[in-house]
């Protein structure tokens, strides 16, 4: 299967790379562009909807992979619907309800094709709990739509969402190899290749943005393959998808809390995401992207180690990961500038220790 996997990967990279310049021309011709404004980081008009090339490259690779393994074309059809929703938003600026409606339609096709969560594992055990459809289907909808929009929300800098998505895909690929999940191996390989072919044009300074066309599609496919990829994992599998997608999920969760505390609608945009905060702290565009790549790699590495850990190891990793996330949130004021319980406590302990030593 190694040769077939390489064929799938090379096809995804090549097709996406070749088609992206064409998409750039089409975006300009159709007026699908991002114009500079207060919330934007870029300073010039930029073509968007670059996600079209990702969708095209992934689709070609998917069809090739389907010659080697049994893939459900319902996944591809559902992804098309979600990608189309993003494209319409890039062109016509859809409202939040219209975007959610398109995503709901995509997940409906996905579930109807037979892809959904059919059991849960009890945390820190090898016990599986079969769940009925009336529970399974809502959980699947919540997971897929949540991840889809989480990736959409971090798409704020050149190469950010695409790079973070590729790191998450590589993590899923590694774990699929460990588990011997051939279907997920091919899907992750196709996704990695299509992202890599696009990233050449999307990395700073970008020649094109992926737009909602790309971020919604990437989020959707990541949600699907993570859902499929961890059905075979026992012991701690309930937490693994959350760790793999830790960057977009953490940033989204903090955004929801922040907006609730500020009496804003959850759908209201702001400039307090992690990448905004890093820029505010004086990091350059490229440095910010690489810092977040590093955090994504840390989450990915943690997920792999976590999946192979026993109860004690998983518990220690969980605690350390929680502390790391909490410090990240406090250090960069992802909720607000006054929320610093852990840092304030650490500061008090340090000051007490210093004062105690000075008195001795």
């Amino acid at each position: 299967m190694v040769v077939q996997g390489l064929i799938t990967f090379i096809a995804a990279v090549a097709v996406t790379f070749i088609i992206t310049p064409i998409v750039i021309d089409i975006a300009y011709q159709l007026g699908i562009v991002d114009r500079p404004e207060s919330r934007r980081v870029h300073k010039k008009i930029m073509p968007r909807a670059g996600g079209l090339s990702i969708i095209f490259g992934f689709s070609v690779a998917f069809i090739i992979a389907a010659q080697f393994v049994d893939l459900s074309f319902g996944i591809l059809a559902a992804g098309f619907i979600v990608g189309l929703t993003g494209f319409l938003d890039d062109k016509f600026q859809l409202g939040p309800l219209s975007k959610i409606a398109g995503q709901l339609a995509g997940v409906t096709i996905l579930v109807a094709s037979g892809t959904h969560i059919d059991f849960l594992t009890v945390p820190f055990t090898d016990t599986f709990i079969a769940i009925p459809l009336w529970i399974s289907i809502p959980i699947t909808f919540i997971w897929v739509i949540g991840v889809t929009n989480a990736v959409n929300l971090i798409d704020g800098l050149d190469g950010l969402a695409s790079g973070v998505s590729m790191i998450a895909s590589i993590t899923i690929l590694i774990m699929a190899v460990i588990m011997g999940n051939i279907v997920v191996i091919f899907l992750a390989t196709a996704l990695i290749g299509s992202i890599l072919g696009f990233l050449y044009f999307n990395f700073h300074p970008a020649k094109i943005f992926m737009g909602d066309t790309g971020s919604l599609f990437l989020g959707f496919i990541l949600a699907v393959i993570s859902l499929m990829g961890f059905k075979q994992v026992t012991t701690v599998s309930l937490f693994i998808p959350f760790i793999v997608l830790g960057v977009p999920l953490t940033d989204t969760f903090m955004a929801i809390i922040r907006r609730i505390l500020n009496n804003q609608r959850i759908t209201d945009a702001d400039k307090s995401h992690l990448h905004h905060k890093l820029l505010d702290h004086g990091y350059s565009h490229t440095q910010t992207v690489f810092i977040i790549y590093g955090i994504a790699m840390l989450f990915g590495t943690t997920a792999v180690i976590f999946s192979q850990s026993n109860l004690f190891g998983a518990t220690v990793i969980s605690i350390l990961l929680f502390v790391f996330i909490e410090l990240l949130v406090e250090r960069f004021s992802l909720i607000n500038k006054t929320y610093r319980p852990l840092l304030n406590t650490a500061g008090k302990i340090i000051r007490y220790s210093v004062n105690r030593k000075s008195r001795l």
Side-chain angles (χ1 to χ4, degrees):
M1 284 293 179
V2 174
V3 174
Q4 293 91 329
L6 283 173
I7 292 171
T8 301
F9 174 75
I10 292 170
V13 174
V15 171
T16 308
F17 185 85
I18 291 169
I19 205 75
T20 299
I22 299 173
V23 172
I24 291 174
D25 291 338
I26 292 172
Y28 276 125
Q29 291 172 14
L30 297 179
I32 306 176
V33 296
D34 254 341
R35 302 181 184 279
E37 57 177 73
S38 59
R39 233 186 96 251
R40 307 288 185 184
V41 175
H42 63 283
K43 305 300 181 184
K44 62 179 183 179
I45 295 176
M46 290 291 295
R48 57 186 177 191
L52 287 173
S53 58
I54 295 176
I55 294 172
F56 196 81
F58 178 82
S59 299
V60 171
F62 186 99
I63 293 170
I64 292 172
Q67 310 307 307
F68 309 128
V69 293
D70 184 20
L71 297 180
S72 169
F73 276 81
I75 296 172
L76 195 57
F80 273 139
I81 296 298
V82 174
L84 176 61
T85 301
F87 177 77
L88 292 175
D89 183 53
D90 286 333
K91 175 61 179 173
F92 302 110
Q93 299 295 295
L94 302 179
L97 291 180
S98 297
K99 290 173 68 174
I100 289 294
Q103 294 170 45
L104 287 172
V107 185
T108 300
I109 294 173
L110 179 74
V111 171
S113 69
T115 303
H116 52 78
I117 298 170
D118 49 18
F119 62 81
L120 295 176
T121 55
V122 179
F124 305 111
T125 74
D126 292 335
T127 304
F128 294 88
I129 300 177
I131 54 177
L133 281 177
W134 66 272
I135 296 177
S136 167
I137 291 175
I139 292 176
T140 301
F141 269 79
I142 291 169
W143 171 253
V144 175
I145 290 177
V147 173
T148 298
N149 286 283
V151 174
N152 180 237
L153 284 175
I154 66 166
D155 184 27
L157 294 178
D158 298 353
L160 181 57
S162 51
V164 168
S165 296
M166 187 166 71
I167 292 167
S169 301
I170 292 171
T171 303
I172 293 171
L173 174 62
I174 292 170
M175 297 185 68
V177 169
I178 292 172
M179 294 183 292
N181 191 324
I182 301 299
V183 170
V184 174
I185 288 173
F186 274 92
L187 289 175
T189 298
L191 190 61
I192 293 166
S194 58
I195 295 172
L196 186 61
F198 177 73
L199 192 55
Y200 175 84
F201 301 93
N202 186 232
F203 197 76
H204 187 69
K207 298 177 178 66
I208 186 172
F209 296 156
M210 69 167 63
D212 280 10
T213 309
S215 60
L216 291 181
F217 179 80
L218 283 181
F220 180 82
I221 299 299
L222 273 174
V224 172
I225 63 175
S226 64
L227 180 155
M228 297 171 64
F230 305 120
K231 285 187 176 182
Q232 299 176 23
V233 181
T234 57
T235 308
V236 289
S237 62
L238 185 65
F239 302 120
I240 292 172
F242 292 94
I243 301 174
V244 172
L245 297 163
V247 170
L249 290 179
T250 298
D251 198 42
T252 299
F253 184 64
M254 291 305 118
I256 291 172
I257 294 176
R258 182 172 64 247
R259 290 164 190 176
I260 290 174
L261 292 176
N262 292 333
N263 294 316
Q264 294 176 300
R265 293 179 301 176
I266 292 177
T267 56
D268 286 348
D270 61 28
K271 292 191 71 172
S272 296
H273 290 284
L274 177 59
H275 58 275
H276 292 126
K277 292 297 185 179
L278 286 168
L279 290 172
D280 290 344
H281 275 73
Y283 294 104
S284 69
H285 191 124
T286 302
Q287 287 172 334
T288 296
V289 170
F290 276 121
I291 288 170
I292 298 178
Y293 282 2
I295 296 171
M297 290 178 188
L298 176 63
F299 275 112
T301 303
T302 301
V304 174
I305 297 172
F306 193 86
S307 69
Q308 305 299 308
S309 299
N310 57 21
L311 175 60
F312 176 76
T315 302
V316 172
I317 291 172
S318 299
I319 294 170
L320 292 175
L321 193 62
F322 173 80
V323 171
F324 173 75
I325 293 172
E326 179 64 24
L327 289 173
L328 191 69
V329 169
E330 294 181 23
R331 176 66 180 82
F332 294 104
S333 306
L334 296 183
I335 293 180
N336 57 49
K337 292 181 179 180
T338 61
Y339 178 78
R340 296 165 62 90
L342 202 58
L343 288 175
N344 288 340
T345 300
K348 289 178 182 179
I349 293 172
I350 293 171
R351 286 193 295 272
Y352 173 79
S353 300
V354 171
N355 291 336
R356 189 170 182 274
K357 287 181 179 180
S358 65
R359 288 196 300 266
L360 293 177

